[in-house]
Amino acid sequence: MDKRTEASQAPVPFPKTPILKTPTHVQGLDDILRGGFPAKRTSLVTGSHGSGKTTMGIEFLYRGALAGEPGIFFGFEESEDAIRGNAATMGWDLAAQEKENKFFVMQGQLDADTINGDFSLKPLLAIISGKAKAMGAKRIVLDALDVLFLIYPDYQRVRAELHILSEWLSEEGMTVLITQKPSENTPRMQFQDFFFSMSDCVISMDARINQQVATRRLRVVKYRGSGFERNECPYVITDQGIRLIPISRISLRHKAFGARISSGVLRLDGMLGGGFYRGSCNLLAGEPRTGKTILASTFVQNACKMKDKVFFLSFEESQEAVIHNVAGVNVDLKKYYDSGLLHFQSVIPESMGAEEHLMQIIAETEQFKPQHMVLDALSAVERFGGKQAAFDYMIRLLNFLKERGITLILTNQTSGNDAQLEITGSGVSSLIDTVVFIRYKQEDGELNRTIQVLKSRGSAHSNQIREFVISTSGLDIIDVYVGQSGVMTGTARKIQEAKDDLESRKRNTAVTIKTAEVSRLKALAAAENERRQAELLTAETVLASLQLEVDINQQRVEELNVMRDRNLISQPVKKPSRKRVNPKKVTGNG
Amino acid sequence: MDKKDNIKRDGTDIYQLKLFVAGDDRNSRLARKSIEQLCETKLQDKYHLEIIDVLQDFKSALKHNVLVAPTLILTSTQPPTTIIGSLNDSGEVLKALGIKEETS
């Protein structure tokens, strides 16, 4: 007893000494509370009607009971049967736990006919203590305690009684959860502030209607001696109780990227540096009707072909419409839908709250265990109740998928010329690993599609723009013509290509002609050469004969000289010198 | 309370009273003194008063749905009449219990 008294009064001796906590076992809540409610202390949950604070109280005790910690539920608003009935809708059999003495539920009803003088709450405390001892209970819920205090006429009395209550329960070593409606700023309800200040941990639960869609938020307002998640956290009340998905701690558990998986379009894989990474988040952004869904479906077809399971979440069209539409461009999803590899869910966002839907998706994902998910389209998520709801929805879904290594293909509809700025979508860009952007390009009176990889985390990727072609045989990506006036696509590209073709053929012809000319000239040159050779030969022959003639003449002159010397001939000597001129002329011409 | 006024009582009626107290805190002491005095002066031998200390016997408190102390329950009416508080105004208490003043 003494130790407990000390523990309850000491205001957390050292910052680094962790306080003892009692796990709530409510899904996600212990993450936010970093372990649970403060043990042997009083915690407060405030919430309006329908916020689920009573459910929170029941769940805290029921899950505790299942974990072997009995609990006592004291309600001041609802009857015992109503509490049991509420629990039964979540599949919690309180009666069974009551039989095992692990749960005790009592309606605290004050049916005084007359109030005459002052009174205290000691019998209530005596009942709780007595029951707790008998059951070995450490968990106490006082539901709608503010209702009980309405019998006190003045604030000071309430304050005194609450103080006694809190001290008593703390001394008994009980972990107490009090629920009440949110504070009202009226003198009558002033005591609610005291609930607040006496509690070591305060949680606010809020159910509101945002753009016609119910949204629920939970926030830890304070937690003495402990850190806690300070942001508002969406929650839902499912048929399995309250579920919350806090962000901050999940993010730390992201898996690394897996191997590559083909996008289903070979050339897009090339642009992505080898395809999408398994477990990554990939955004296909573009204007309406650019083929985002077809591209996503092509991926689905390819993944299913490899026996991977895909969860297709469609906010835009029914599954029949999606299957039918993509069948027109040679993408067969029906086969895989029939074989069970493809799971469809099409939802009109307005039909349910973002949290409800998120929980449903998560539950279905956990059951189906897909390798990949397609969400078509991000832009529709905003219809769940505005940008904030979309952000909460996406950030939690993305975290959930990343944590489980599920690839996400996300389409997002953009519009107008600033589309590039819009593509990030709902402010979740930091969680998106790859952005593929499809856009229309208008030229020469026609619209064509271009595709570009704007971001691809963890891989080298092409920055180039390619033309994206959708035909009855499927998707294809082709090179674009980059000319002086920029990127050309479609007919403009074809015309340009035709021009190029003509030019090239012209050049080819010119070469052929020139080649022929060259060979002709070569032949001519050869012929000319032959003729010259012949001339040369003739000249040489002439020269040779002339030479011979000269020699003969020379011989004859000498013979004549000899004969003249011997006086055999009396004729003059001039003849031989005149004949010598002729051989010189012949040599010069040659 | 109108209902209780309709219940006919003659001289043979016994007032069955239970007073739930919390130990001997001030309010409990006051209530005990007040009801004991009232019974002796107004009811003489026509009453049976049981005093229950919830700190000793929480089960009785549980059974009678007593959350505050002091609580006085007149169990001989249907439904029982419950008065909470230290019973400092005996006139009001008598009225609530349906007991007429001395003059009757």
Side-chain angles (χ1 to χ4, degrees), chain A residues 215-287:
Chain A
T215 58
R216 292 187 163 105
R217 297 276 186 282
L218 181 147
R219 185 169 71 92
V220 181
V221 181
K222 76 166 189 181
Y223 200 147
R224 269 184 208 137
S226 169
F228 55 92
E229 167 62 50
R230 280 161 205 278
N231 294 327
E232 275 195 332
C233 180
Y235 68 96
V236 285
I237 302 170
T238 69
D239 56 1
Q240 286 152 36
I242 291 172
R243 292 183 71 150
L244 302 104
I245 311 178
I247 316 170
S248 51
R249 309 195 80 206
I250 289 175
S251 324
L252 302 173
R253 303 197 290 258
H254 286 171
K255 288 183 176 174
F257 289 151
R260 298 272 194 178
I261 177 159
S262 169
S263 65
V265 181
L266 197 64
R267 292 211 47 186
L268 179 59
D269 292 348
M271 290 169 75
L272 290 165
F276 297 124
Y277 277 114
R278 283 174 180 272
S280 66
C281 173
N282 308 285
L283 177 67
L284 311 179
E287 289 163 77

Side-chain angles (χ1 to χ4, degrees), chain A residues 335-437:
Chain A
K335 179 164 71 180
Y336 301 112
Y337 176 69
D338 291 343
S339 73
L341 283 169
L342 175 59
H343 177 67
F344 252 102
Q345 218 228 41
S346 43
V347 173
I348 299 165
E350 288 85 350
S351 67
M352 62 170 94
E355 286 87 18
E356 261 86 3
H357 188 255
L358 180 59
M359 292 304 158
Q360 191 184 328
I361 294 308
I362 285 176
E364 279 185 38
T365 306
E366 277 173 344
Q367 201 183 1
F368 182 59
K369 297 189 185 358
Q371 279 81 25
H372 317 287
M373 180 187 275
V374 171
L375 192 156
D376 185 28
L378 178 60
S379 16
V381 176
E382 276 190 13
R383 309 210 310 264
F384 273 127
K387 283 199 186 303
Q388 184 60 37
F391 174 77
D392 286 336
Y393 180 96
M394 285 315 301
I395 206 126
R396 280 166 177 79
L397 181 64
L398 293 182
N399 266 308
F400 169 79
L401 296 176
K402 287 209 167 185
E403 200 186 9
R404 276 159 185 76
I406 297 170
T407 321
L408 178 65
I409 304 292
L410 188 60
T411 69
N412 190 27
Q413 194 157 300
T414 58
S415 57
N417 293 331
D418 291 332
Q420 210 153 342
L421 301 172
E422 289 177 46
I423 49 156
T424 48
S426 304
V428 294
S429 60
S430 66
L431 286 166
I432 290 173
D433 302 303
T434 306
V435 177
V436 175
F437 191 35

Side-chain angles (χ1 to χ4, degrees), chain B residues 62-88:
Chain B
L62 189 58
K63 188 179 161 196
H64 291 91
N65 200 26
V66 171
L67 306 181
V68 301
T71 293
L72 179 68
I73 303 178
L74 175 62
T75 56
S76 49
T77 57
Q78 269 313 319
T81 304
T82 306
I83 304 169
I84 62 172
S86 52
L87 311 177
N88 45 12

Side-chain angles (χ1 to χ4, degrees), chain A residues 544-563:
Chain A
S545 65
L546 286 174
Q547 199 69 51
L548 186 62
E549 208 176 316
V550 167
D551 289 346
I552 291 169
N553 280 342
Q554 190 69 36
Q555 205 176 345
R556 281 192 61 187
V557 169
E558 283 170 10
E559 281 172 7
L560 283 172
N561 283 344
V562 171
M563 286 169 72

Side-chain angles (χ1 to χ4, degrees), chain A residues 85 90 172 334 380 383 495 501 519 526:
Chain A
M90 325 272 176
E172 301 272 324
K334 191 174 187 303
R383 309 210 310 264
I495 290 170
D501 194 35
S519 27

Side-chain angles (χ1 to χ4, degrees), chain A residues 109 116 142 172 227 317 397 438 468 485 505 511 551 556:
Chain A
Q109 231 181 337
N116 190 327
L142 302 173
E172 301 272 324
E317 294 167 309
L397 181 64
I438 309 170
F468 184 59
S485 55
R505 265 186 291 158
V511 166
D551 289 346
R556 281 192 61 187

